[in-house]
Amino acid sequence: MGREDARADEWRAGDALIEAALVMDRLWSFGGWEVTQTHDSLRPYLLEETYELLDAIQSGDPVSIREELGDLLLQVLFHSRIAQAAGEFTVDDVAATLVTKLAHRSPHLADDIVGPVDIAEQERAWEIRKAAEKARESCIDGIALQQPALALAEKVISRARKAGLPDELVPDELRVVRLGGATSAEDELRKATLRFVARIRAAESAAHADGVPWGGLGAECWRAYWRP
C-alpha cells in the first residue's frame, strides 16, 4: 500500500471539509484579492455558481454536479471567512447553526429510530417547528425577494394561499406572463408581485390593528381588509 493509499484510509468523513477551510484560511493569509472582497461583491459569483449547479443537475452528470457543489462550497467558506475577519462568526459557527436547526426541526434525529420514517409526519414536524422558530407576523416574512420574478411570484402566491387568502384575490397580472412587450417581462412580473406583497402586508396590518392575531385571517377576513 502506498503512502497516498494509507493516508486515504486514515481520513474520516469531514476531513476534506476541514482541509477546504484551511485552504481558504491560507488564501486569506496572502492578503491578495480575497481580502478585498465583501459579502456584496461576491453576490454575482454566488448567483452564477448556483445557476451552474442547476445546469449540472439538469444534465444529470455526477462529475459536473460534484464540481459545481465544490464551487458553491467555496462561496460558503469565502463568506464565512469574511465574517470571521469582521469578528462576526466563523465557518464552525455556520455549521453549528445548521446542526442545531436540523436537530430541532427533525425530532426523529434524537430518537432511536431504525429504518425509514413517515415522510408526511416528518414534513409536518418540520413545518411546525420551523413556524415556532420564526414567529413571523406576516405570511410573506422570510421570502427571498431577490429571487427570479417567476419563482418569487409562485412562492408569494403559495404562502398567501396557505395563510387563507382566497384565490380570487390573486391578481391576473400574476397569473399570466406576457412576453415580447415593450418592457421586460421579468421586471413587470417582479413589480406586480411586489405590489401584491404590499397589499398582503397592508391587509394583515389593518386586521391586526383591529385585534385579529397575526396569522389569524380567514377567507372572509382577508376579503374585508383587502384593498385593490
Side-chain angles (χ1 to χ4, degrees), residues 153 156-158 160-161 165-175 196 199-200 226:
V156 169
I157 292 172
S158 172
R161 283 172 172 163
L165 184 82
D167 198 56
E168 72 265 18
L169 296 183
V170 178
D172 290 340
E173 59 185 353
L174 266 64
R175 299 176 186 272
F196 184 49
R199 290 172 190 154
I200 290 171
W226 194 255

Side-chain angles (χ1 to χ4, degrees), residues 167-219:
D167 198 56
E168 72 265 18
L169 296 183
V170 178
D172 290 340
E173 59 185 353
L174 266 64
R175 299 176 186 272
V176 179
V177 177
R178 294 179 173 83
L179 304 178
T183 57
S184 163
E186 171 80 11
D187 289 344
E188 289 302 313
L189 181 57
R190 179 174 300 281
K191 291 175 182 177
T193 303
L194 294 180
R195 287 194 294 269
F196 184 49
V197 167
R199 290 172 190 154
I200 290 171
R201 292 190 182 278
E204 290 172 323
S205 296
H208 184 67
D210 286 344
V212 178
W214 294 112
L217 280 76

Side-chain angles (χ1 to χ4, degrees), residues 140-164:
I140 302 302
D141 287 350
I143 294 179
L145 299 180
Q146 295 301 313
Q147 62 185 296
L150 184 58
L152 174 61
E154 289 182 322
K155 186 68 174 180
V156 169
I157 292 172
S158 172
R159 189 76 72 80
R161 283 172 172 163
K162 285 182 179 180

Side-chain angles (χ1 to χ4, degrees), residues 102 105-106 121-131:
L102 291 176
R105 295 187 186 178
S106 305
E121 181 180 343
Q122 182 182 10
E123 290 178 343
R124 284 194 298 270
W126 180 278
E127 291 299 329
I128 289 171
R129 293 187 177 223
K130 179 180 178 180

Side-chain angles (χ1 to χ4, degrees), residues 13-226:
D15 283 351
L17 286 173
I18 294 173
E19 185 172 21
L22 292 175
V23 169
M24 184 72 247
D25 281 342
R26 181 158 173 74
L27 285 171
W28 192 272
S29 71
F30 293 146
W33 177 83
E34 286 77 13
V35 300
T36 68
Q37 301 307 301
T38 65
H39 293 305
D40 191 61
S41 70
L42 291 179
R43 288 175 62 183
Y45 302 101
L46 177 59
L47 187 61
E48 180 181 6
E49 300 299 354
T50 300
Y51 281 122
E52 289 181 359
L53 173 58
L54 292 174
D55 283 347
I57 292 172
Q58 181 68 31
S59 75
D61 178 16
V63 175
S64 296
I65 294 173
R66 181 182 65 188
E67 179 180 354
E68 298 304 337
L69 282 171
D71 290 342
L72 200 56
L73 175 60
L74 173 60
Q75 295 301 308
V76 174
L77 296 173
F78 209 153
H79 282 277
S80 299
R81 193 60 185 81
I82 290 171
Q84 180 179 339
E88 297 167 345
F89 58 82
T90 69
V91 69
D92 283 339
D93 296 325
V94 172
T97 299
L98 173 60
V99 169
T100 299
K101 179 186 291 186
L102 291 176
H104 182 260
R105 295 187 186 178
S106 305
H108 55 282
L109 285 175
D111 300 331
D112 296 327
I113 295 178
V114 178
V117 298
D118 181 86
I119 294 177
E121 181 180 343
Q122 182 182 10
E123 290 178 343
R124 284 194 298 270
W126 180 278
E127 291 299 329
I128 289 171
R129 293 187 177 223
K130 179 180 178 180
E133 286 175 16
K134 301 300 182 180
R136 290 169 174 156
E137 295 180 350
S138 172
C139 66
I140 302 302
D141 287 350
I143 294 179
L145 299 180
Q146 295 301 313
Q147 62 185 296
L150 184 58
L152 174 61
E154 289 182 322
K155 186 68 174 180
V156 169
I157 292 172
S158 172
R159 189 76 72 80
R161 283 172 172 163
K162 285 182 179 180
L165 184 82
D167 198 56
E168 72 265 18
L169 296 183
V170 178
D172 290 340
E173 59 185 353
L174 266 64
R175 299 176 186 272
V176 179
V177 177
R178 294 179 173 83
L179 304 178
T183 57
S184 163
E186 171 80 11
D187 289 344
E188 289 302 313
L189 181 57
R190 179 174 300 281
K191 291 175 182 177
T193 303
L194 294 180
R195 287 194 294 269
F196 184 49
V197 167
R199 290 172 190 154
I200 290 171
R201 292 190 182 278
E204 290 172 323
S205 296
H208 184 67
D210 286 344
V212 178
W214 294 112
L217 280 76
E220 291 306 316
C221 198
W222 275 110
R223 294 186 182 100
Y225 288 98
W226 194 255

